Amino acid sequence: AITSYAGLRAKSNSRDFIIEESEASPGFINVAGIDSPGLTSSPAIAKMVVDELIRPHAARMRLNMTRNYNFNPFRSAIIKKKSRDFPGRIDDPNPEHNIVCRCER
């Protein structure tokens, strides 16, 4: 069981989100320093990144942006209900019993 959590999240010294094309690697969009309210901001951040990718200089980055007409933005979430006696554990060799975190128990 996971009883404690650790993580690494880049902090911005500018006190703001960093959303910009890398000067060193054209076509690579840096998205960093996303603190609170990052989750709430995520749709707007995604739009900013897409807008950055489709700007007039996108051709210079050799991007072929075409619409995927098969994409379904309203697809159902993949959620599997588990009973109280679910025998799952992290890294279980049986994929049916493998869980990602204890929140699934």
Side-chain angles (χ1 to χ4, degrees), residues 83-90 92 96-99 105:
S83 65
R84 280 268 209 225
D85 59 341
F86 177 70
R89 65 187 174 100
I90 294 173
D92 194 295
E96 291 297 317
H97 295 162
N98 189 30
I99 61 174
R105 295 203 37 82

Side-chain angles (χ1 to χ4, degrees), residues 22-94:
S22 167
E23 292 178 14
S25 299
F28 183 89
I29 309 298
N30 287 302
V31 181
I34 310 297
D35 287 331
S36 184
L39 184 59
T40 304
S41 304
S42 60
I45 293 169
K47 181 165 180 2
M48 286 182 72
V49 170
V50 169
D51 290 347
E52 186 76 13
L53 291 171
I54 61 174
R55 287 192 332 195
H57 72 277
R60 171 181 59 79
M61 294 188 283
R62 295 187 211 126
L63 295 176
N64 182 13
M65 303 287 281
T66 58
R67 185 173 190 152
N68 179 353
Y69 289 96
N70 294 318
F71 177 73
N72 177 5
F74 304 105
R75 63 192 182 277
S76 299
I78 301 171
I79 299 173
K80 294 185 179 181
K81 298 276 185 191
K82 298 171 179 78
S83 65
R84 280 268 209 225
D85 59 341
F86 177 70
R89 65 187 174 100
I90 294 173
D91 294 328
D92 194 295
N94 179 346

Side-chain angles (χ1 to χ4, degrees), residues 4-44:
S4 61
Y5 299 88
L8 181 63
R9 179 175 46 187
K11 294 287 280 180
S12 168
N13 60 0
S14 70
R15 298 181 179 251
D16 200 2
F17 299 169
I18 297 170
I19 305 168
E20 62 190 13
E21 183 179 3
S22 167
E23 292 178 14
S25 299
F28 183 89
I29 309 298
N30 287 302
V31 181
I34 310 297
D35 287 331
S36 184
L39 184 59
T40 304
S41 304
S42 60

